Amino acid sequence: MARIDKRFGATDGWIKMPDGTEHYIFGFVDLTGVPEERPALYRGRATLPGPLLEVDEGDEVYLTLTNLGFPGRPELDDTHTIHWHGFPNQIPLWDGVPETSISVPVGRSFTYYFKPADPGTYMYHCHFEPVEHIQMGMLGPLIVRPALEKNPAFAGRLFAYNDTATEYQREVILLLTELDAVAHSRVAAAQPYDWTEYRPHYWLISGRSYPDTVKPADDPSLPGQPFSALIAAQPGEKVLLRFINLGYELHTLQLLGLPLRIIGQDAKLLRGYHGEDLSHSATGLTLAAGQTVDALVTASRPGIYPLYNRSYHKNTNAGLTFGGMVTEFRVVP
């Protein structure tokens, strides 16, 4: 157990699609370790998704949220929160739901406290006006690593849960969202938008649309989209795929040529009431909004294996094929 001090800023920014279009977003930026006189320099530098929040089971996590405002919409004085979605042991004050807690005004900060008791894959998002703020990009991945990794008998080994059957050698976060270009354009232009008219034009994995999904992490051409969705492994390695759906649609993904072993769902190891192993093999999986799934894949033979959304219209960029919610699993010798 350790004390973890993190600081995120809430602000705005811009992201790019493979067709050359740019889109206004709200989001978060990592301010951890930034000197107190410099956070303002991070205004307008939000990323999609937000920074990875990664902690160990039993850590005491102090997460400070600073509202930096929106330089692209300076008249908009929205408050913000951080809600740890699916966290089972939270009290209302630190749960980030503004109706039962507080939200952070522009220029102010608030520190949340978490003590994660259960390992797994989670997500966080702003809970103030969530329909708008989540679609605009105020979300990010959250991982709680199991205490088993701290056991000296398993030093240097990686596990998804406190079970040796969940061991893996590599992991990739695949955070699913969509982007309604009309909504983002209207918000950027300070025009009203009826969210019941939500119609996505882009389907994203970790903030990117194919072929950008397979570009490396922190690619300089995508400063607002630092996460890569490319999966790479060597033959024989086990890869943990952490699926997170923070879009508003149901998504069904398929991995051709490599079977998935579904081992966890919503940050829970798949076990029965009496400890029965409920993990199972699948060629694809369906995620509802707000759901996470952990799957192990063994990289068997060298090759490039496509991972894609089974809805054809989600394999496009603004209606033009080929693109969208697609990435590659590359097994290299």
Side-chain angles (χ1 to χ4, degrees):
M1 183 183 74
R3 173 179 172 130
I4 306 296
D5 290 279
K6 302 285 289 185
R7 185 180 188 184
F8 288 177
T11 184
D12 59 4
W14 292 83
I15 60 171
K16 300 177 182 177
M17 292 296 119
D19 57 11
T21 58
E22 297 190 27
H23 304 272
Y24 182 63
I25 63 166
F26 300 164
F28 297 105
V29 61
D30 194 352
L31 300 177
T32 306
V34 174
E36 193 55 42
E37 70 277 12
R38 298 182 68 86
L41 298 178
Y42 290 78
R43 299 179 75 232
R45 295 170 59 179
T47 64
L48 182 69
L52 170 64
L53 183 56
E54 184 179 11
V55 299
D56 291 329
E57 179 183 348
D59 281 346
E60 293 194 271
V61 183
Y62 295 83
L63 173 60
T64 298
L65 174 64
T66 298
N67 188 341
L68 298 172
F70 296 144
R73 290 285 310 278
E75 85 291 357
L76 192 60
D77 59 354
D78 282 6
T79 60
H80 301 295
T81 71
I82 288 183
H83 170 66
W84 183 324
H85 192 96
F87 187 76
N89 305 308
Q90 192 53 278
I91 66 172
L93 178 61
W94 293 307
D95 197 33
V97 178
E99 291 84 357
T100 57
S101 175
I102 63 171
S103 55
V104 185
V106 176
R108 302 296 295 270
S109 297
F110 179 74
T111 300
Y112 296 87
Y113 173 77
F114 306 102
K115 189 172 183 179
D118 300 296
T121 303
Y122 297 85
M123 64 193 86
Y124 68 85
H125 62 78
C126 177
H127 218 301
F128 182 82
E129 298 180 354
V131 171
E132 178 182 73
H133 285 203
I134 292 174
Q135 166 57 199
M136 290 300 294
M138 305 200 78
L139 52 88
L142 196 161
I143 296 173
V144 178
R145 300 199 174 280
L148 185 61
E149 292 183 357
K150 299 295 184 183
N151 186 326
F154 300 101
R157 296 167 63 180
L158 299 171
F159 303 92
Y161 293 92
N162 288 308
D163 189 307
T164 56
T166 66
E167 185 173 9
Y168 63 92
Q169 285 74 53
R170 299 177 186 266
E171 67 181 326
V172 178
I173 296 169
L174 301 169
L175 194 154
L176 314 179
T177 54
E178 314 99 26
L179 189 147
D180 180 334
V182 173
H184 284 245
S185 174
R186 287 185 175 273
V187 171
Q191 296 299 309
Y193 178 74
D194 182 351
W195 288 96
T196 65
E197 298 295 328
Y198 178 70
R199 299 288 187 278
H201 301 83
Y202 300 92
W203 288 268
L204 313 178
I205 304 179
S206 298
R208 300 179 180 182
S209 185
Y210 189 81
D212 287 348
T213 50
V214 298
K215 290 182 177 178
D218 299 314
D219 188 277
S221 69
L222 300 167
Q225 297 140 281
F227 288 78
S228 174
L230 175 64
I231 307 158
Q234 294 180 317
E237 289 185 324
K238 280 188 177 179
V239 182
L240 173 63
L241 302 181
R242 297 183 183 269
F243 293 93
I244 302 169
N245 185 3
L246 252 173
Y248 294 153
E249 295 185 336
L250 190 78
H251 295 297
T252 298
L253 301 179
Q254 183 157 14
L255 176 60
L256 287 182
L258 295 174
L260 299 155
R261 188 73 184 172
I262 310 299
I263 61 168
Q265 182 174 318
D266 298 326
K268 299 294 181 186
L269 181 66
L270 292 182
R271 291 288 184 270
Y273 287 117
H274 303 289
E276 311 95 302
D277 184 2
L278 300 182
S279 65
H280 55 277
S281 295
T283 57
L285 71 163
T286 298
L287 287 91
Q291 189 174 23
T292 70
V293 171
D294 300 310
L296 288 174
V297 180
T298 299
S300 54
R301 295 180 298 174
I304 299 177
Y305 303 85
L307 174 63
Y308 63 98
N309 196 305
R310 291 186 59 177
S311 296
Y312 177 71
H313 71 286
K314 297 177 181 178
N315 300 154
T316 62
N317 291 322
L320 298 178
T321 187
F322 185 67
M325 195 171 279
V326 179
T327 188
E328 298 172 4
F329 193 126
R330 298 178 184 172
V331 183
V332 294

Short mmCIF file of all heavy atoms in Angstrom, two decimals, residues 3-28:
data_model
loop_
_atom_site.label_atom_id
_atom_site.label_comp_id
_atom_site.label_asym_id
_atom_site.label_seq_id
_atom_site.Cartn_x
_atom_site.Cartn_y
_atom_site.Cartn_z
N ARG A 3 0.89 5.77 -0.72
CA ARG A 3 0.12 6.99 -0.97
C ARG A 3 0.42 7.46 -2.39
O ARG A 3 1.59 7.57 -2.78
CB ARG A 3 0.47 8.08 0.03
CG ARG A 3 -0.20 9.41 -0.31
CD ARG A 3 0.11 10.50 0.68
NE ARG A 3 -0.41 11.77 0.20
CZ ARG A 3 -1.16 12.59 0.91
NH1 ARG A 3 -1.47 12.29 2.16
NH2 ARG A 3 -1.58 13.74 0.38
N ILE A 4 -0.63 7.69 -3.18
CA ILE A 4 -0.51 8.13 -4.56
C ILE A 4 -1.13 9.52 -4.67
O ILE A 4 -2.30 9.70 -4.34
CB ILE A 4 -1.23 7.17 -5.54
CG1 ILE A 4 -0.72 5.72 -5.35
CG2 ILE A 4 -1.04 7.62 -6.97
CD1 ILE A 4 0.73 5.51 -5.68
N ASP A 5 -0.34 10.49 -5.10
CA ASP A 5 -0.83 11.85 -5.30
C ASP A 5 -0.84 12.16 -6.80
O ASP A 5 0.20 12.10 -7.45
CB ASP A 5 0.05 12.86 -4.57
CG ASP A 5 -0.11 12.76 -3.06
OD1 ASP A 5 -1.10 13.31 -2.55
OD2 ASP A 5 0.73 12.11 -2.40
N LYS A 6 -2.02 12.45 -7.32
CA LYS A 6 -2.16 12.79 -8.73
C LYS A 6 -2.93 14.10 -8.84
O LYS A 6 -3.70 14.49 -7.95
CB LYS A 6 -2.92 11.69 -9.48
CG LYS A 6 -2.28 10.31 -9.41
CD LYS A 6 -1.06 10.21 -10.29
CE LYS A 6 -1.43 10.20 -11.75
NZ LYS A 6 -0.24 9.97 -12.62
N ARG A 7 -2.72 14.78 -9.97
CA ARG A 7 -3.47 16.02 -10.21
C ARG A 7 -3.85 16.08 -11.69
O ARG A 7 -2.98 15.96 -12.56
CB ARG A 7 -2.63 17.25 -9.84
CG ARG A 7 -3.39 18.56 -9.96
CD ARG A 7 -2.50 19.73 -9.59
NE ARG A 7 -3.25 20.97 -9.51
CZ ARG A 7 -2.71 22.16 -9.28
NH1 ARG A 7 -1.40 22.25 -9.09
NH2 ARG A 7 -3.45 23.25 -9.24
N PHE A 8 -5.15 16.23 -11.95
CA PHE A 8 -5.65 16.38 -13.31
C PHE A 8 -6.23 17.79 -13.47
O PHE A 8 -6.79 18.36 -12.52
CB PHE A 8 -6.76 15.37 -13.62
CG PHE A 8 -6.27 13.94 -13.78
CD1 PHE A 8 -7.18 12.91 -14.01
CD2 PHE A 8 -4.92 13.62 -13.73
CE1 PHE A 8 -6.75 11.60 -14.17
CE2 PHE A 8 -4.48 12.31 -13.89
CZ PHE A 8 -5.40 11.30 -14.10
N GLY A 9 -6.12 18.33 -14.69
CA GLY A 9 -6.76 19.59 -15.02
C GLY A 9 -7.92 19.34 -15.96
O GLY A 9 -7.86 18.44 -16.82
N ALA A 10 -8.99 20.12 -15.82
CA ALA A 10 -10.14 20.06 -16.74
C ALA A 10 -10.07 21.26 -17.66
O ALA A 10 -10.01 22.40 -17.20
CB ALA A 10 -11.45 20.05 -15.95
N THR A 11 -10.07 21.00 -18.97
CA THR A 11 -9.95 22.10 -19.93
C THR A 11 -10.50 21.63 -21.28
O THR A 11 -11.29 20.68 -21.34
CB THR A 11 -8.49 22.58 -20.03
OG1 THR A 11 -8.43 23.70 -20.90
CG2 THR A 11 -7.55 21.48 -20.52
N ASP A 12 -10.12 22.28 -22.36
CA ASP A 12 -10.60 21.87 -23.68
C ASP A 12 -9.43 21.62 -24.63
O ASP A 12 -8.26 21.71 -24.21
CB ASP A 12 -11.57 22.91 -24.27
CG ASP A 12 -10.93 24.30 -24.40
OD1 ASP A 12 -9.72 24.43 -24.10
OD2 ASP A 12 -11.63 25.24 -24.79
N GLY A 13 -9.71 21.32 -25.88
CA GLY A 13 -8.65 21.04 -26.85
C GLY A 13 -9.25 20.64 -28.19
O GLY A 13 -10.46 20.81 -28.42
N TRP A 14 -8.41 20.12 -29.06
CA TRP A 14 -8.84 19.71 -30.40
C TRP A 14 -8.22 18.36 -30.74
O TRP A 14 -7.10 18.05 -30.33
CB TRP A 14 -8.40 20.73 -31.44
CG TRP A 14 -9.11 22.04 -31.31
CD1 TRP A 14 -8.80 23.07 -30.47
CD2 TRP A 14 -10.27 22.46 -32.03
NE1 TRP A 14 -9.69 24.10 -30.60
CE2 TRP A 14 -10.61 23.74 -31.57
CE3 TRP A 14 -11.06 21.86 -33.01
CZ2 TRP A 14 -11.71 24.45 -32.07
CZ3 TRP A 14 -12.16 22.56 -33.52
CH2 TRP A 14 -12.47 23.84 -33.04
N ILE A 15 -8.97 17.55 -31.49
CA ILE A 15 -8.45 16.27 -31.97
C ILE A 15 -8.63 16.18 -33.48
O ILE A 15 -9.38 16.97 -34.08
CB ILE A 15 -9.15 15.07 -31.29
CG1 ILE A 15 -10.66 15.08 -31.57
CG2 ILE A 15 -8.86 15.07 -29.80
CD1 ILE A 15 -11.37 13.83 -31.11
N LYS A 16 -7.93 15.23 -34.09
CA LYS A 16 -7.94 15.09 -35.55
C LYS A 16 -8.47 13.71 -35.95
O LYS A 16 -8.25 12.72 -35.26
CB LYS A 16 -6.52 15.25 -36.10
CG LYS A 16 -5.88 16.60 -35.80
CD LYS A 16 -4.45 16.64 -36.31
CE LYS A 16 -3.79 17.97 -35.98
NZ LYS A 16 -2.36 17.99 -36.42
N MET A 17 -9.13 13.69 -37.09
CA MET A 17 -9.57 12.43 -37.68
C MET A 17 -8.74 12.13 -38.93
O MET A 17 -8.15 13.03 -39.52
CB MET A 17 -11.06 12.49 -38.02
CG MET A 17 -11.96 12.56 -36.80
SD MET A 17 -11.87 11.07 -35.78
CE MET A 17 -11.27 11.76 -34.24
N PRO A 18 -8.71 10.87 -39.38
CA PRO A 18 -7.89 10.52 -40.55
C PRO A 18 -8.30 11.25 -41.83
O PRO A 18 -7.49 11.36 -42.75
CB PRO A 18 -8.12 9.01 -40.69
CG PRO A 18 -8.48 8.55 -39.32
CD PRO A 18 -9.28 9.68 -38.73
N ASP A 19 -9.54 11.74 -41.90
CA ASP A 19 -9.97 12.48 -43.11
C ASP A 19 -9.54 13.93 -43.09
O ASP A 19 -9.93 14.72 -43.97
CB ASP A 19 -11.48 12.37 -43.28
CG ASP A 19 -12.25 12.87 -42.06
OD1 ASP A 19 -11.64 13.48 -41.17
OD2 ASP A 19 -13.47 12.64 -42.01
N GLY A 20 -8.75 14.32 -42.08
CA GLY A 20 -8.21 15.68 -42.02
C GLY A 20 -9.06 16.67 -41.23
O GLY A 20 -8.65 17.83 -41.05
N THR A 21 -10.24 16.25 -40.78
CA THR A 21 -11.09 17.16 -40.01
C THR A 21 -10.58 17.27 -38.58
O THR A 21 -9.94 16.36 -38.05
CB THR A 21 -12.54 16.68 -40.01
OG1 THR A 21 -12.58 15.34 -39.46
CG2 THR A 21 -13.10 16.65 -41.41
N GLU A 22 -10.86 18.41 -37.94
CA GLU A 22 -10.51 18.63 -36.54
C GLU A 22 -11.79 18.89 -35.76
O GLU A 22 -12.73 19.50 -36.27
CB GLU A 22 -9.54 19.80 -36.41
CG GLU A 22 -8.20 19.55 -37.10
CD GLU A 22 -7.15 20.60 -36.78
OE1 GLU A 22 -7.23 21.19 -35.68
OE2 GLU A 22 -6.27 20.83 -37.61
N HIS A 23 -11.78 18.46 -34.49
CA HIS A 23 -12.99 18.52 -33.68
C HIS A 23 -12.66 19.02 -32.28
O HIS A 23 -11.70 18.56 -31.66
CB HIS A 23 -13.65 17.14 -33.63
CG HIS A 23 -13.95 16.59 -34.99
ND1 HIS A 23 -15.12 16.85 -35.65
CD2 HIS A 23 -13.20 15.83 -35.83
CE1 HIS A 23 -15.10 16.27 -36.84
NE2 HIS A 23 -13.94 15.64 -36.97
N TYR A 24 -13.51 19.94 -31.83
CA TYR A 24 -13.35 20.54 -30.50
C TYR A 24 -13.77 19.55 -29.43
O TYR A 24 -14.77 18.84 -29.59
CB TYR A 24 -14.23 21.79 -30.43
CG TYR A 24 -14.17 22.57 -29.14
CD1 TYR A 24 -12.99 23.18 -28.72
CD2 TYR A 24 -15.30 22.72 -28.36
CE1 TYR A 24 -12.94 23.91 -27.55
CE2 TYR A 24 -15.28 23.46 -27.19
CZ TYR A 24 -14.09 24.06 -26.78
OH TYR A 24 -14.06 24.78 -25.62
N ILE A 25 -13.00 19.47 -28.34
CA ILE A 25 -13.34 18.55 -27.24
C ILE A 25 -13.22 19.27 -25.90
O ILE A 25 -12.53 20.29 -25.77
CB ILE A 25 -12.42 17.30 -27.21
CG1 ILE A 25 -10.95 17.70 -26.95
CG2 ILE A 25 -12.56 16.50 -28.50
CD1 ILE A 25 -10.05 16.53 -26.58
N PHE A 26 -13.91 18.74 -24.90
CA PHE A 26 -13.60 18.99 -23.50
C PHE A 26 -12.76 17.79 -23.04
O PHE A 26 -12.84 16.71 -23.63
CB PHE A 26 -14.86 19.04 -22.64
CG PHE A 26 -15.86 20.10 -23.00
CD1 PHE A 26 -17.16 20.03 -22.51
CD2 PHE A 26 -15.52 21.18 -23.81
CE1 PHE A 26 -18.10 21.00 -22.82
CE2 PHE A 26 -16.46 22.16 -24.12
CZ PHE A 26 -17.76 22.06 -23.63
N GLY A 27 -12.01 17.94 -21.95
CA GLY A 27 -11.26 16.79 -21.47
C GLY A 27 -10.39 17.10 -20.28
O GLY A 27 -10.53 18.15 -19.62
N PHE A 28 -9.49 16.17 -20.01
CA PHE A 28 -8.58 16.28 -18.88
C PHE A 28 -7.14 16.29 -19.37
O PHE A 28 -6.82 15.80 -20.46
CB PHE A 28 -8.78 15.11 -17.91
CG PHE A 28 -10.15 15.04 -17.29
CD1 PHE A 28 -11.08 14.10 -17.72
CD2 PHE A 28 -10.50 15.91 -16.27
CE1 PHE A 28 -12.34 14.03 -17.15
CE2 PHE A 28 -11.76 15.85 -15.69
CZ PHE A 28 -12.69 14.91 -16.13
#
